[in-house]
Amino acid sequence: MNIRSLSLTCVMAAAVAGAFTPAHAADKPRVVILATGGTIAGAGASVANSATYQAAKVPVDKLIAGVPELKNLADVRGDQVFQIASESFTNEHLVTLGKRVAALARQTDVDGIVITHGTDTLEETAFFLNLVLKTDKPVVVVGSIRPGTAMSADGMLNLYNAVAVASSKDAAGKGVLVTMNDEIHTGRDVSKTVNIKTEAFKSPWGPLGMIVEGKTYWFRA
């Protein structure tokens, strides 16, 4: 076989190999998780501690590593913006977070944004971001009622659901969203109505939709 034939054979082999490369490897949505602390990053003294714990203990890389199934939904990367309990949020924190989200939304290599947040002021942050952000890309705020160390902790599933929503093309153009307890709410309307229970967040007109096993289902626009 001469050099020209060998080169042609190599090119054809590369083309065939490329044809069998899974399409989703290149086509996965690219989602950035901005971590701010809160209960979803909290830890208790034992698995029995669901209401008494220290918030904002777990960094974003460990949150992501704790839900390996995220890679099935999107190419995910994390950024630790703050590491505080949400009652410590100030106007300066809100402005810093808003600028960071706005900058990411302008990047062509970002398809969706998830913000992990403590639940005490989650609704205020979601409302603020809904007012100031000008983007059609999905922006999803998520938290948890129980720390990750507790029995029946809700943070892992909430985070998984948030990434599923941020990865969904159907979530585009709906403003800032909040995902808690398998439900999708609008950041404009949602509020924390009860403490401790995982169904703490409610909207006066009901949820926009729900998430089941990584798939979004929308009830209304």
Side-chain angles (χ1 to χ4, degrees), residues 18-172:
F20 287 96
T21 300
H24 63 78
D27 296 341
K28 284 182 182 177
R30 295 156 296 184
V31 174
V32 179
I33 298 176
L34 299 179
T36 69
T39 299
I40 196 169
S46 78
V47 297
N49 293 121
S50 61
T52 54
Y53 52 85
Q54 285 188 303
K57 299 295 290 183
V58 182
V60 65
D61 57 336
K62 289 190 176 181
L63 285 179
I64 293 172
V67 193
E69 292 78 9
L70 292 177
K71 67 179 183 295
N72 299 327
L73 299 173
D75 289 328
V76 176
R77 70 179 191 267
D79 183 4
Q80 191 77 50
V81 185
F82 312 119
Q83 186 67 302
I84 58 176
S86 70
E87 64 266 25
S88 299
F89 254 76
T90 64
N91 290 339
E92 288 73 21
H93 287 112
L94 285 175
V95 171
T96 298
L97 180 60
K99 288 180 177 179
R100 180 69 181 127
V101 176
L104 283 172
R106 290 192 293 267
Q107 293 182 199
T108 57
D109 63 343
V110 175
D111 298 308
I113 300 163
V114 170
I115 302 160
T116 62
H117 200 288
T119 60
D120 283 349
T121 58
L122 186 151
E123 65 190 81
E124 287 84 1
T125 295
F127 186 83
F128 169 78
L129 293 176
N130 194 66
L131 288 176
V132 302
L133 293 177
K134 307 300 179 185
T135 181
D136 285 335
K137 293 182 179 180
V139 176
V140 184
V141 187
V142 64
S144 72
I145 300 300
R146 299 167 180 161
T149 51
M151 290 185 284
S152 298
D154 54 325
M156 286 179 62
L157 183 56
N158 285 351
L159 181 59
Y160 181 79
N161 286 343
V163 172
V165 174
S167 303
S168 172
K169 293 181 180 179
D170 292 337

